[in-house]
């Protein structure tokens, strides 16, 4: 028996490869099919099943393409009704895979079709669960994504309570928990950085699995402090229900070099958004006017999903040489399939063609502190609300990057804003968006709050996030 977790850091997502006696199963695959197929070929195995724990909201699964290429059967749990051929497992149904079995446990709550897959090893012992978004390490799935009609998030939270108590917590403490996500995912509130754990340890440390917890307490704690889900979640669910096209076709359209004139024409006359995926330092030094910065080396795909509302938005992009295919692939993982190409030669080609270039003022924390002490300075904190509430620069205005488009009316074009985040990535994203909307009195604070704390700038007293209400 072989179990391999295939973890993708930028999405904080875990897919799984399971193999026994030459038969393999993939659980919650990403958009690209090739890595799973090559893995099976290398192991001399045939992919028999593609198990989906639920209709994912935070990424587009490649299950349909993978099933077509491998001949595998797609399996969902009860209540799932996608528009393609699949096997609907009943609660308790077992699937043979070599000398092991995988048992479907219907665990609604995160969504109505949410299903946990229990692996029973060669000895017939309950070995591991692949819990999807039902149970994370240190947290549980948010219950507000599948509200329909009269079904509220409290109703779903109640279902989740029952699923955890009756289907998962009854399993042996020795069972390994393999979730679909870790820290950084918006599918939960406070997930651990660990990507797997023993169920027994989770029973001791996970707030939502307290043995003496009532249903009412569970519902209150699980729903308390939930931020609105990113706008792309509902669109990704729809794509996963309909079945997305294969990555091959997306790359064929999007991984295309464009000369300067074609690139400029697409931006100016065809409504294409110019996305700059280089490092923030490079963007600050010089960028194409009205381009949006979202660096490939940060939480790229989730920020694209949160900030670009239309999945059909035509996108053209700048990337470091050799990373063009990576950009198209990572855009497709969250449903942005209308990428039309990249600027061949990058900013060097743009500059050589005599095109306009803009830069951005950026200062370090020491210079920021000097300006702050002189007074009459406007500070914009673009971190998440919880980060701001925990600790922030005195008199700083909170405009979270997640909701910057909805709060644009709070920005005064006549004021000069010194913008910071935690480390310097999100502040440049925010500044690029503001610049594209006509705000130009902007100063980025490089190093963010991490460096600001090392100065004499006055900050509020720290409040532990776990005590915030």
């Amino acid at each position: 028996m072989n179990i391999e977790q295939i973890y993708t850091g930028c999405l904080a997502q875990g897919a799984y490869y399971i193999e026994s006696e030459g038969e393999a199963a993939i659980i919650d695959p990403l958009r690209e099919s090739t890595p799973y197929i090559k893995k099976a070929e290398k192991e001399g195995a045939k992919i028999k099943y593609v198990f989906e724990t639920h209709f994912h909201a935070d990424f587009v699964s490649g299950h349909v393409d993978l099933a077509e290429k491998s001949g595998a059967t797609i399996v969902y749990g009860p209540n799932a009704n996608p528009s393609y051929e699949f096997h609907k497992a009943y609660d308790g149904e077992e699937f043979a895979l070599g000398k092991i079995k995988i048992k479907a446990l219907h665990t609604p709550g995160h969504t109505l079709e949410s299903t946990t897959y229990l692996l029973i090893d060669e000895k017939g012992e309950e070995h591991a669960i692949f819990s999807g978004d039902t149970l994370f390490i240190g947290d549980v799935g948010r219950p507000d994504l599948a509200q329909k009609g009269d079904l509220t998030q409290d109703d779903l939270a109640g279902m989740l309570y029952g699923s955890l108590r009756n289907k998962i917590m009854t399993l042996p403490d020795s069972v390994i928990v393999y979730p679909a996500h870790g820290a950084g995912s918006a599918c939960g509130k406070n997930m651990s950085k660990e990507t797997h754990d023993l169920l027994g340890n989770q029973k001791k440390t996970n707030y939502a699995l307290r043995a003496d917890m009532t249903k009412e307490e569970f519902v209150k704690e699980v729903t308390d402090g939930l931020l609105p889900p990113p706008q792309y979640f509902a669109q990704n669910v729809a794509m996963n229900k309909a079945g997305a096209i294969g990555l091959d076709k997306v790359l064929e359209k999007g991984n295309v070099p464009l000369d300067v004139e074609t690139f400029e024409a697409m931006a100016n006359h065809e409504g294409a958004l110019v996305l700059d995926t280089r490092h923030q330092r490079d963007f600050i030094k010089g960028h194409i006017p009205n381009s949006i910065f979202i660096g490939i080396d940060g939480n790229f795909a989730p920020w694209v999903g949160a900030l670009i509302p239309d999945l059909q938005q035509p996108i053209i992009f700048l990337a470091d040489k050799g990373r063009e295919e990576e950009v198209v692939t990572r855009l497709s993982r969250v449903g942005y399939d209308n990428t039309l190409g990249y600027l061949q030669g990058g900013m060097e080609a743009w500059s050589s063609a005599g095109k306009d270039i803009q830069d951005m003022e950026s200062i370090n924390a020491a210079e920021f502190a000097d300006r702050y002490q002189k007074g009459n300075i406007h500070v914009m904190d673009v971190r998440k609300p919880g980060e701001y509430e925990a600790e922030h620069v005195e008199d700083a205005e909170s405009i979270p990057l997640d909701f910057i488009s909805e709060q644009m009316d709070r920005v005064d074009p006549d004021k000069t804003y010194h913008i910071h985040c935690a480390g310097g990535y999100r502040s440049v994203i925010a500044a690029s968006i503001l610049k594209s909307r006509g705000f130009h009195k902007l100063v980025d604070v490089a190093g963010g709050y991490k460096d600001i704390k090392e100065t004499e700038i006055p900050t509020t007293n720290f409040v532990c996030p776990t005590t915030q209400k």
Side-chain angles (χ1 to χ4, degrees), residues 118-387:
L118 171 65
L119 189 153
I120 301 171
D121 66 18
E122 297 176 11
K123 299 178 182 179
E125 296 178 353
E126 296 167 328
H127 179 82
I129 53 171
F130 302 88
S131 53
D133 287 19
T134 295
L135 175 62
F136 298 125
I137 307 306
D139 203 355
V140 293
R142 57 190 298 166
D144 61 325
L145 301 182
Q147 301 175 73
K148 295 179 180 178
D150 295 331
L151 192 66
T152 68
Q153 69 175 19
D154 285 3
D155 295 330
L156 285 160
M159 292 181 192
L160 184 58
Y161 177 84
S163 294
L164 292 165
R165 262 65 188 171
N166 301 325
K167 297 290 183 67
I168 290 180
M169 292 178 68
T170 56
L171 296 171
D173 289 353
S174 59
V175 165
I176 304 169
V177 179
Y178 290 114
H181 294 292
S185 169
C187 292
K189 291 191 298 183
N190 191 33
M191 287 176 250
S192 168
K193 293 181 180 179
E194 301 300 320
T195 59
H196 61 86
D197 194 11
L198 293 178
L199 179 59
N201 192 47
Q202 283 303 293
K203 290 177 184 178
K204 296 176 184 176
T205 60
N206 191 319
Y207 77 96
L209 302 189
R210 294 198 310 270
D212 61 349
M213 195 178 209
T214 67
K215 182 177 179 180
E216 290 72 23
E217 290 172 335
F218 178 89
V219 170
K220 183 178 185 303
E221 292 191 38
V222 167
T223 58
D224 185 47
L226 281 176
L227 294 174
Q231 59 82 29
Y232 72 104
F233 270 27
Q235 299 178 75
N236 277 194
V237 169
M239 290 182 72
N240 284 320
K241 287 182 177 180
I245 62 172
L247 178 62
D248 299 347
K249 294 179 181 178
V250 179
L251 287 171
E252 185 178 330
K253 182 172 72 171
N255 191 23
V256 177
L258 303 171
D259 60 45
V260 171
E261 298 303 326
T262 302
F263 191 91
E264 184 178 43
M266 284 185 169
N268 291 341
H269 306 299
E270 297 180 29
L273 181 147
V274 179
L275 183 63
D276 195 324
T277 69
R278 301 172 299 152
H279 193 278
Q280 57 261 37
R281 289 190 302 266
D282 298 320
F283 183 86
I284 287 167
K285 290 176 184 177
H287 54 267
I288 295 173
N290 296 319
S291 59
I292 300 298
F293 164 78
I294 305 179
I296 192 71
D297 288 325
N299 287 333
F300 175 69
W303 280 120
V304 169
L307 297 170
I308 302 176
D310 183 7
L311 293 192
Q312 299 306 313
Q313 168 68 51
I315 294 173
I316 52 179
F317 65 93
L318 289 86
D320 292 325
K321 188 174 181 180
R323 302 189 74 178
E324 297 87 0
E325 181 174 323
E326 178 187 358
V327 170
V328 179
T329 298
R330 289 171 68 174
L331 285 169
S332 76
R333 286 176 180 166
V334 286
Y336 293 84
D337 291 355
N338 202 15
T339 305
L340 303 178
Y342 60 89
L343 179 59
Q344 188 171 30
M347 286 303 297
E348 184 177 344
W350 187 265
S351 178
S352 297
K355 302 299 182 180
D356 289 342
I357 295 175
Q358 292 183 349
D359 59 13
M360 182 183 296
E361 184 178 3
S362 182
I363 60 175
N364 60 28
E367 172 64 20
F368 174 61
D370 184 60
R371 296 186 186 186
Y372 186 91
Q373 298 296 350
K374 291 177 181 177
N376 196 29
I377 185 174
H378 301 285
V379 183
M380 182 187 297
D381 187 332
V382 299
R383 297 176 299 161
K384 292 182 181 293
E387 295 174 277

